[in-house]
Amino acid sequence: MGRRALRKIDPSLDLSHHLKAFDQLPRPWDARALFGRCGSLEVEVGTGKGLFLRNAAAGRPDVDLLGIEIAQKYARFAAAALARREVKNAVVALADAPRVFRELLPDGSLAAVHVYFPDPWWKKRHQKRRVMKGPFLSDVQRTLTPGGKLHFWTDVEEYFRVSLELLARHTDLKGPLEVPETPAEHEMAYRTHFERRMRLHGEPVYRAEFRKE
Ligand SMILES: C[S@@+](CC[C@H](N)C(=O)[O-])C[C@H]1O[C@@H](n2cnc3c(N)ncnc32)[C@H](O)[C@@H]1O
């Protein structure tokens, strides 16, 4: 993702609460083992540098947030940002997100799923690596609570259109509901680092929200 080198992580920072490898995730699933409580749980797929995770966790202390990131350097970076701020209600899993859904997350366990700017895998032969695929979307439908939401944003129009078609085919989620663009009130007031980058470059962002009935 980002082209700039990531800031070095202070080696004395303890990441043990904020960073979990796939094998360290509780099984059977038990959110209490990660957050010390069993509150409303939201999952972010492809956390990247973690701007959404830390803003959402700080702004909504009543909610628990699990970010899933497959690249070790981003997972560590996002977890370190949480550890530095002593955020209690967010954790990063270093893992393949569709696998976490498929193997670990129980039915009706999530209040929201956030997918922001997933890798588009432009080449046709690589598109099988995309996260927004039928089986994953069926798992999103399965794991959401009634009233739970899927938030999906991307800068790639084709990926947006294809994902909306897959959502219609593989889920009964209600949507797409319109998501208006909001003005950025300060330098970092964007949903994610990628949204910030796209908007600063004047690129379009396609946003959709879906709701489980
Ligand atoms: C284009 S970046 C967007 C990051 C962030 N959501 C944002 O908007 O700034 C996509 C991220 O998804 C991660 N990713 C790709 N495939 C994944 C997978 N199967 N499971 C978890 N994370 C994944 C990548 O490593 C990368 O950090």
Side-chain angles (χ1 to χ4, degrees):
M1 44 170 283
R3 275 154 281 187
R4 257 187 296 157
L6 292 177
R7 201 158 58 138
K8 278 223 168 64
I9 296 172
D10 175 354
S12 69
L13 208 55
D14 176 9
L15 300 186
S16 58
H17 172 74
H18 293 97
L19 182 66
K20 304 288 182 193
F22 180 74
D23 291 340
Q24 293 175 308
L25 294 173
R27 58 201 78 194
W29 184 255
D30 177 11
R32 202 181 298 271
L34 292 176
F35 301 102
R37 63 180 184 181
C38 232
S40 182
L41 178 63
E42 302 191 9
V43 169
E44 186 191 19
V45 169
T47 291
K49 292 195 274 182
L51 182 63
F52 168 74
L53 207 60
R54 58 183 185 262
N55 284 343
R60 292 184 292 141
D62 51 318
V63 170
D64 294 327
L65 289 129
L66 176 68
I68 311 176
E69 172 54 56
I70 202 167
Q72 174 157 271
K73 66 176 179 176
Y74 293 120
R76 284 181 60 80
F77 185 91
L82 298 173
R84 263 199 314 277
R85 292 168 177 77
E86 299 183 10
V87 173
K88 295 275 182 283
N89 57 326
V91 166
V92 180
L94 171 58
D96 174 40
R99 185 173 179 204
V100 174
F101 275 76
R102 192 171 62 242
E103 296 185 15
L104 298 180
L105 295 174
D107 296 4
S109 56
L110 306 179
V113 176
H114 303 263
V115 187
Y116 299 121
F117 304 89
D119 289 332
W121 296 107
W122 293 102
K123 290 186 183 158
K124 211 143 190 93
R125 68 175 190 279
H126 290 159
Q127 286 182 0
K128 55 179 179 295
R129 301 179 191 169
R130 286 180 169 180
V131 290
M132 296 292 277
K133 290 195 301 189
F136 168 69
L137 298 175
S138 300
D139 272 334
V140 170
Q141 152 105 30
R142 176 183 65 73
T143 52
L144 282 174
T145 54
K149 287 182 178 170
L150 167 67
H151 304 266
F152 168 51
W153 298 15
T154 176
D155 56 312
V156 181
E157 190 177 11
E158 176 270 341
Y159 196 2
F160 188 69
R161 184 176 44 74
V162 169
S163 300
L164 264 46
E165 286 168 13
L166 289 172
L167 276 155
R169 199 173 328 141
H170 292 271
T171 77
D172 297 327
L173 298 177
K174 184 163 182 261
L177 312 174
E178 241 181 82
V179 182
E181 183 165 301
T182 51
E185 278 154 16
H186 59 81
E187 238 277 293
M188 294 310 282
Y190 296 94
R191 186 63 68 103
T192 70
H193 283 99
F194 254 71
E195 194 212 4
R196 178 173 185 274
R197 181 192 293 179
M198 292 310 150
R199 287 188 46 192
L200 294 182
H201 284 88
E203 301 289 341
V205 173
Y206 305 92
R207 302 173 179 83
E209 189 177 298
F210 290 81
R211 201 161 66 85
K212 182 164 168 175
E213 297 282 85

